[in-house]
Amino acid sequence: MLRIATTALAIAGGFLASAANGVHPPKLIRQILPLVIGFAMLAASPLKAADMSDSELENLVRRSYQYVALFNTINNFAVNPQNPFAAGGWNRTHYPTGLMNASVRALPRPNNDTLYVLSLLDLRKEPVIIHYPAFGSKYVSLETTAFDHYCEIPLATSKGDFKKPTSILYYSARTEGYSGEPVEGVDRVMEMSGDFAIAFLRVMPEANDPEKFKANMAAVNAVKLQTLSEFQGKPAKAPDPLAMPAYSNDQNVFASNFQEAMQFVFNHTTFDPEKYEMDREALAALKAVGVEPGRVFDQSNAPEIDGKRLAEVAAKIAAEQNATWNDPQKVAPFLFRVFLPKGQIDLDTMVIQSVVGPVGVPASEAMYPGIATPDGAPMNAEHDYVIRMTKDQLPPANAFWSATLYDTKQGFFIPNKENKYSVGENAGMKLDESGGIAIYIAAEKPEGVPTENWLPITRENLGIDVIMRVYEPDLEKMKTWVAPKAEMLNQ
């Protein structure tokens, strides 16, 4: 379309230049000249979604999904009063009181292994400093990301961190009055890719050891967030008024306020189109619907967009990504490529991680293989199952591993009076004499099976599935390791 517009404008320009030099085009051409110019201006204007081809709409959704998903996720963790993990505002931290249980309904497929310490950052007015204590845990991992969903792991026990207290100063390219200079008393300075960001600390609390659990909970509560002014003994600077567009779930944003939300996101995100192809393509895709960094959103002047059609395309893409994630063979290549920094991740991987589970950790920190039945049939709570592993078949984890049971439709823990949702080092497990394990998914605990190795279900027509989590995996061994199968016990 733009190529046609350029050609039309060139033709019109030639006619006008000739007229200026005293050479007048024929009468017919003079009559159609306004139409040529009008067509050129129409063709050069931003595309309407209704005018886009299916491939253009799909490209728009794929190029924007990471921003839509993280716009919703970060706002949900910052200010959603219905979210038990919400920090209660910007530049605040959510502190957990214990491991998650069946009451958690704020996020699908939560883990029963680590504590979540969530700091939500507004870096517009001044930098934010977070002080992290030392931990006596075998697994602690700090992840950071912003609206663009490129993930960093600044600190991790896998790197030898958390043996001593560490402070990190966070800022962005738009933080007022600060450009990355060192601050006395601060260990590290980290530039974030956006003004609104999340610093996500995961801590394995060693729940089966009461003394270690108590010490790790105390360390969790010692995490401290300050603005730079507060760190320097002054009052925090008052933040500028925040006109945040409405957040919701991904499909609602695509349907109702896509351009408004994306304009806000792009105004608060750092792009480098000369260096990064994904930045360049995202900017081009959004420019076609009137979104460019630095613009002020005005609904009355915004290009018309068919939100219903856009949401339908987004829903189709989401369904495809979920199907891929739930297929052990199709998802295998992605498990080593998800949640990486900018410049190290491709678009296909970015789309699937943004659809399936935003703000996960890269393979170096954890991997999440699913457990299927031998014939690939879906599991159902109308039946009991057993997952068997010999010592040599156990997951190659340098830290620890777990197996967690969910209902398939919603991704929540299965409520039970034993409050048992996973088998692993935190929730409890017992290896047999040969070093292997048999994990039972059953309505009643089978005779002779240790309670630690039993995942209770209610006998009903309910789809269920099991996800293994392998923390600090041996990546070389994971390339050939094969996840166990869940064998049905009662036909």
Side-chain angles (χ1 to χ4, degrees):
M1 182 72 88
L2 289 175
R3 191 174 298 165
I4 296 171
T6 301
T7 303
L9 284 172
I11 294 170
F15 289 152
L16 292 173
S18 297
N21 292 322
V23 179
H24 298 282
K27 181 178 179 181
L28 177 60
I29 293 178
R30 293 200 304 271
Q31 289 175 338
I32 68 171
L33 186 57
L35 295 177
V36 173
I37 295 173
F39 174 76
M41 296 304 292
L42 176 63
S45 64
L47 289 168
K48 296 180 180 179
D51 298 330
M52 288 183 173
S53 66
D54 290 342
S55 61
E56 287 172 328
L57 259 188
E58 182 172 331
N59 181 63
L60 176 63
V61 171
R62 283 169 55 82
R63 295 291 176 183
S64 60
Y65 213 114
Q66 67 199 84
Y67 303 101
V68 171
L70 266 291
F71 170 76
N72 288 325
T73 298
I74 289 178
N75 274 290
N76 184 48
F77 280 129
V79 296
N80 184 358
Q82 305 303 317
N83 183 354
F85 305 104
W90 298 100
N91 294 338
R92 299 183 65 177
T93 297
H94 161 77
Y95 297 94
T97 57
L99 293 169
M100 286 178 273
N101 56 37
S103 68
V104 173
R105 291 291 188 270
L107 71 163
R109 288 177 172 76
N111 77 55
N112 192 229
D113 305 319
T114 62
L115 303 170
Y116 290 176
V117 186
L118 303 166
S119 298
L120 280 299
L121 312 179
D122 176 357
L123 304 173
R124 295 173 300 158
K125 202 68 179 177
E126 62 175 320
V128 169
I129 299 168
I130 303 181
H131 307 274
Y132 300 100
F135 282 91
S137 169
K138 65 172 62 177
Y139 182 86
V140 186
S141 180
L142 173 65
E143 180 180 24
T144 60
T145 191
F147 284 151
D148 56 13
H149 206 188
Y150 296 109
C151 299
E152 302 272 356
I153 304 293
L155 299 173
T157 47
S158 62
K159 302 177 181 181
D161 299 316
F162 294 108
K163 295 178 180 178
K164 62 180 182 179
T166 305
S167 57
I168 298 179
L169 180 149
Y170 300 96
Y171 77 105
S172 79
R174 289 156 298 281
T175 301
E176 292 183 16
Y178 182 81
S179 56
E181 56 271 18
V183 174
E184 186 176 355
V186 173
D187 298 307
R188 293 181 57 177
V189 172
M190 184 171 181
E191 181 177 355
M192 302 297 290
S193 59
D195 303 337
F196 298 92
I198 183 170
F200 193 152
L201 187 68
R202 294 171 170 89
V203 181
M204 189 269 216
E206 310 271 1
N208 271 340
D209 185 320
E211 289 302 315
K212 288 185 177 180
F213 181 79
K214 181 179 179 181
N216 283 314
M217 288 300 300
V220 159
N221 287 297
V223 173
K224 183 180 179 180
L225 182 151
Q226 295 177 296
T227 66
L228 177 58
S229 293
E230 290 172 324
F231 178 72
Q232 295 172 336
K234 298 175 288 187
K237 295 179 181 178
D240 293 330
L242 180 58
M244 183 76 73
Y247 67 94
S248 180
N249 61 53
D250 299 345
Q251 306 310 314
N252 282 346
V253 169
F254 277 112
S256 60
N257 67 328
F258 174 71
Q259 290 154 295
E260 180 189 17
M262 291 302 92
Q263 186 62 67
F264 183 91
V265 167
F266 275 38
N267 285 348
H268 294 283
T269 299
T270 302
F271 294 94
D272 187 349
E274 293 186 4
K275 184 175 181 180
Y276 299 108
E277 181 269 345
M278 285 179 62
D279 276 3
R280 185 165 58 253
E281 295 298 330
L283 289 168
L286 272 294
K287 184 177 181 179
V289 291
V291 174
E292 294 183 81
R295 281 190 173 184
V296 175
F297 178 75
D298 181 354
Q299 183 67 60
S300 63
N301 292 323
E304 182 182 341
I305 190 166
D306 186 342
K308 180 180 178 182
R309 187 177 173 214
L310 193 65
E312 288 172 351
V313 173
K316 175 177 175 290
I317 289 174
E320 293 169 350
Q321 303 307 307
N322 280 308
T324 296
W325 192 262
N326 290 322
D327 185 317
Q329 289 185 328
K330 290 181 179 179
V331 76
F334 290 103
L335 296 178
F336 291 88
R337 300 180 348 219
V338 290
F339 307 114
L340 294 176
K342 194 169 191 173
Q344 299 181 31
I345 189 169
D346 60 88
L347 180 62
D348 289 342
T349 305
M350 176 61 81
V351 174
I352 197 170
Q353 73 179 36
S354 299
V355 168
V356 174
V359 202
V361 291
S364 61
E365 294 301 300
M367 295 185 72
Y368 313 104
I371 294 179
T373 56
D375 61 0
M379 297 169 65
N380 194 289
E382 290 184 332
H383 306 283
D384 294 342
Y385 300 84
V386 62
I387 301 167
R388 293 188 174 94
M389 291 179 284
T390 66
K391 180 180 179 180
D392 293 336
Q393 293 171 333
L394 294 177
N398 291 322
F400 70 106
W401 63 268
S402 69
T404 308
L405 180 66
Y406 301 98
D407 80 79
T408 300
K409 184 176 181 180
Q410 299 185 88
F412 298 149
F413 293 143
I414 307 292
N416 61 85
K417 63 182 180 181
E418 287 80 12
N419 292 320
K420 179 72 170 174
Y421 315 108
S422 67
V423 171
E425 197 159 337
N426 272 302
M429 67 177 182
K430 278 194 174 180
L431 302 179
D432 59 33
E433 292 181 354
S434 62
I437 192 170
I439 301 169
Y440 285 82
I441 302 167
E444 301 291 336
K445 186 177 81 67
E447 184 176 354
V449 171
T451 302
E452 294 88 341
N453 297 352
W454 173 41
L455 292 173
I457 56 175
T458 300
R459 184 71 71 225
E460 59 180 320
N461 181 13
L462 177 71
I464 57 177
D465 59 73
V466 177
I467 290 181
M468 297 199 80
R469 288 179 169 85
V470 186
Y471 293 92
E472 292 184 22
D474 183 317
L475 295 180
E476 282 303 311
K477 291 182 179 179
M478 283 296 293
K479 291 177 181 178
T480 55
W481 178 78
V482 178
K485 302 294 184 182
E487 302 173 19
M488 188 186 298
L489 292 175
N490 52 343
Q491 303 295 323

